[in-house]
Every structure is written in C-alpha cells, then in structure tokens.
Amino acid sequence: MEEFIAYLKELKPDVDFEHETELVKSGYLNSFDIIQIVAMVKKEYDVKIPVADILPVNFRSAETMWSIVEKLLDD
C-alpha cells in the first residue's frame, strides 16, 4: 500500500492520504482524479477496476481504494 499512497501523493501532494477518510466529499478528489487513479491501477497492477466499482464511496480513502485493488489482485 505504501507504493499506492506514494502515487496518490504524486497526484495530490497537499492531501494527507494516510489519514483523510472523505477524499471525494471533502473535495480532495474529483472525477478526473478518479479516472487517473483507475488508469494508474491498470498500468501499475495490471487490474481493471470495473465500471460498476467506480463510485465515490470506493474512493473515500486510500484504504478503501487499496482494498479494491487487493480484491482484484486476488481474483
């Protein structure tokens, strides 16, 4: 997860991804940021986040995003 958080910090250096739990609701992430994260996951982890999972609730925190990546890696 450290590598994942490092990418998120490159995307948004001013956000505390280790502690923030409402990234979308607080306005730290917008739809373009989410698309960038989805593309990074595909490139770096070779997994595709299904369209049905691209919901604001799944991008609330680095932990919720990482749990989706882990689930996809396990499948």
Side-chain angles (χ1 to χ4, degrees):
M1 182 158 148
E2 289 177 27
E3 180 182 288
F4 184 70
I5 288 178
Y7 172 79
L8 294 174
K9 285 183 177 184
E10 285 180 30
L11 179 67
K12 296 281 193 168
D14 57 329
V15 177
D16 181 5
F17 286 101
E18 287 91 353
H19 300 102
E20 182 60 50
T21 60
E22 292 295 339
L23 293 166
V24 176
K25 188 183 249 184
S26 297
Y28 291 117
L29 293 181
N30 60 37
S31 57
F32 183 71
D33 299 323
I34 291 172
I35 296 301
Q36 287 183 293
I37 293 166
V38 169
M40 180 277 299
V41 167
K42 173 68 174 142
K43 180 181 174 189
E44 298 296 323
Y45 300 99
D46 197 29
V47 294
K48 183 177 179 182
I49 297 176
V51 173
D53 288 338
I54 303 175
L55 303 169
V57 68
N58 291 333
F59 292 84
R60 289 178 54 199
S61 69
E63 189 173 305
T64 58
M65 289 183 263
W66 182 244
S67 68
I68 292 169
V69 173
E70 283 186 314
K71 178 183 161 214
L72 292 169
L73 288 170
D74 289 342
D75 288 347

